[in-house]
Amino acid sequence: MSRTRVGKTRVMTLGLALLVTLVFNCGIVHGKTWIVGDKGGWDLNEDMEKWPQGKYFKAGDVLVFNSKEAYHVLVVNESDYINCNFFGKAKIYKSGHDRIRLVKGGNYFISDGPEWCGYGMRIAVNAE
Ligand SMILES: *[C@@H]1O[C@H](CO)[C@@H](O)[C@H](O)[C@H]1NC(C)=O
């Protein structure tokens, strides 16, 4: 009876180890997940533009834009980013908890509030 129990525990431990290994490996394959703005999220009160500083991003990494107010996230090109042009042909994310995968090179995200992008609610991320 007790021998059977030990056997089961061992099998479960092995299974768990396998699962952990799988999850870990998938994490490497699919890249890292970043929470934009960390605890504050995608928000007007954060110093958004500075958030990417000192971070090393790779293509395939995922940025999570959490926003209590469901502030939109617009994926734009560099010039629209610099000029805060949210009238362009941007891809818009509106859910308040959007996940966006980084492509190689420059990735530009802005808010579409009239003043918000100018206020600093935008980020530029370079992915290797
Ligand atoms: C950036 O996108 C806008 C549309 O939103 C377009 O008018 C502009 O030509 C683009 N700029 C570049 C450099 O591709």
Side-chain angles (χ1 to χ4, degrees), residues 73-81 84-93 108 110:
V73 183
L74 277 61
V75 180
V76 297
N77 62 23
E78 188 177 16
S79 63
D80 283 355
Y81 168 83
C84 281
N85 175 25
F86 44 84
F87 297 112
K89 288 195 192 96
K91 176 142 204 220
I92 306 179
Y93 293 83
Y108 304 94
I110 66 173

Side-chain angles (χ1 to χ4, degrees), residues 2-76:
S2 66
R3 276 183 73 181
T4 315
R5 241 180 235 158
V6 168
K8 269 184 189 164
T9 308
R10 198 169 284 168
V11 168
M12 276 174 67
T13 309
L14 268 172
L16 194 67
L18 193 69
L19 192 71
V20 168
T21 309
L22 277 173
V23 169
F24 183 67
N25 285 335
C26 286
I28 289 170
V29 170
H30 296 299
K32 199 173 164 162
T33 298
W34 303 86
I35 308 296
V36 174
D38 302 310
K39 271 188 204 152
W42 178 241
D43 196 273
L44 203 52
N45 300 322
E46 294 296 316
D47 213 344
M48 275 301 150
E49 277 170 297
K50 289 195 185 130
W51 177 81
Q53 284 175 13
K55 296 182 174 71
Y56 177 69
F57 299 93
K58 291 186 92 169
D61 283 2
V62 171
L63 296 191
V64 180
F65 291 82
N66 288 324
S67 169
K68 281 188 219 93
E69 313 291 334
Y71 288 127
H72 298 170
V73 183
L74 277 61
V75 180
V76 297

